[in-house]
Amino acid sequence: GEDVEQSLFLSVREGDSSVINCTYTDSSSTYLYWYKQEPGAGLQLLTYIFSNMDMKQDQRLTVLLNKKDKHLSLRIADTQTGDSAIYFCASRNDYKLSFGAGTTVTVRA
Amino acid sequence: SQTIHQWPATLVQPVGSPLSLECTVEGTSNPNLYWYRQAAGRGLQLLFYSVGIGQISSEVPQNLSASRPQDRQFILSSKKLLLSDSGFYLCAWRDVGGPDTQYFGPGTRLTVL
């Protein structure tokens, strides 16, 4: 089956950039996604990238895709306390999404 | 715009009791619907998905079942809950005509005692 792996924890100082990394195994994945989950809430779609793109930027978020290495990253510029959450990487294969275990981002003052 | 609802928001049930969780989607037609479970500190496990009324596919063998009695309604059930059924249950919908993303509901926190 599809494997998606992420580091579990990231601590970042407020105002710095955060970089969350993800690797996936299915080279036929057409879309890759980043979701954000705040405590006790559902998952919020942050951004997605089509597999034929290398980069996508949306305000403070930058997604980089290295399809050769099957590596996806999410960079959050000027990290704020409201960015503290769990971030999930997901890859799409047909009708299903495969999720990583999530990276818990803690923003410290 | 589309919205997705889940209820109840939280539920505490004894072992062996039945379960019924409901998910409804508004503002779209013929969505693909999904049930996920998130155990504490873990990622998401796909339980069921549905591409249409009465069409259910199960991803993981378990004592749970799902039904889709109407186009925008998805129900997760169990006849007898186990302790291991505790978790955070998330419903999601996929707009097959849109940008091919899944959108999640607010979730139901289930505690089995």
Side-chain angles (χ1 to χ4, degrees):
Chain A
E2 170 67 32
D3 286 329
V4 179
E5 294 189 356
Q6 306 175 234
S7 53
L8 293 182
F9 301 99
L10 176 67
S11 178
V12 61
R13 190 187 303 259
E14 188 176 9
D16 288 352
S17 293
S18 309
V19 179
I20 308 168
N21 295 300
C22 169
T23 58
Y24 59 98
T25 58
D26 189 349
S27 58
S28 66
S29 295
T30 51
Y31 286 91
L32 296 128
Y33 307 83
W34 284 104
Y35 286 86
K36 176 184 180 182
Q37 185 181 35
E38 296 183 356
L43 272 68
Q44 172 195 356
L45 177 67
L46 283 179
T47 187
Y48 63 93
I49 188 168
F50 190 51
S51 59
N52 68 353
M53 297 170 64
D54 297 326
M55 186 182 83
K56 181 178 180 181
Q57 189 155 359
D58 184 2
Q59 299 181 332
R60 292 191 297 121
L61 305 178
T62 303
V63 179
L64 295 178
L65 175 61
N66 182 329
K67 198 173 179 183
K68 174 177 172 290
D69 294 338
K70 301 191 192 70
H71 182 267
L72 183 74
S73 68
L74 175 69
R75 177 178 181 269
I76 305 173
D78 187 25
T79 309
Q80 305 295 307
T81 54
D83 296 323
S84 292
I86 303 175
Y87 292 80
F88 290 93
C89 167
S91 70
R92 177 172 174 266
N93 183 354
D94 194 11
Y95 49 81
K96 296 193 289 186
L97 293 184
S98 295
F99 287 85
T103 300
T104 299
V105 173
T106 303
V107 181
R108 60 186 192 277
Chain B
S1 64
Q2 300 87 0
T3 56
I4 179 169
H5 304 279
Q6 288 186 243
W7 64 88
T10 60
L11 192 59
V12 180
Q13 292 284 95
V15 169
S17 64
L19 173 74
S20 181
L21 303 181
E22 189 164 345
C23 170
T24 58
V25 182
E26 295 177 358
T28 186
S29 296
N30 194 31
N32 289 174
L33 295 172
Y34 303 81
W35 277 113
Y36 292 86
R37 176 169 58 205
Q38 184 180 23
R42 303 285 297 276
L44 276 73
Q45 178 187 35
L46 178 62
L47 302 176
F48 301 94
Y49 70 93
S50 171
V51 299
I53 295 173
Q55 301 178 63
I56 309 294
S57 295
S58 173
E59 291 293 305
V60 182
Q62 62 218 317
N63 70 322
L64 298 172
S65 61
S67 61
R68 186 169 175 176
Q70 300 180 44
D71 181 44
R72 289 168 289 176
Q73 184 185 30
F74 205 22
I75 297 172
L76 183 70
S77 304
S78 174
K79 292 181 179 177
K80 288 186 178 181
L81 283 168
L82 306 173
L83 287 174
S84 57
D85 291 324
S86 293
F88 193 47
Y89 288 82
L90 290 157
C91 180
W93 71 275
R94 172 192 171 209
D95 185 352
V96 297
D100 207 0
T101 55
Q102 287 187 20
Y103 300 93
F104 285 80
T108 295
R109 172 74 58 193
L110 172 66
T111 304
V112 183
L113 300 175

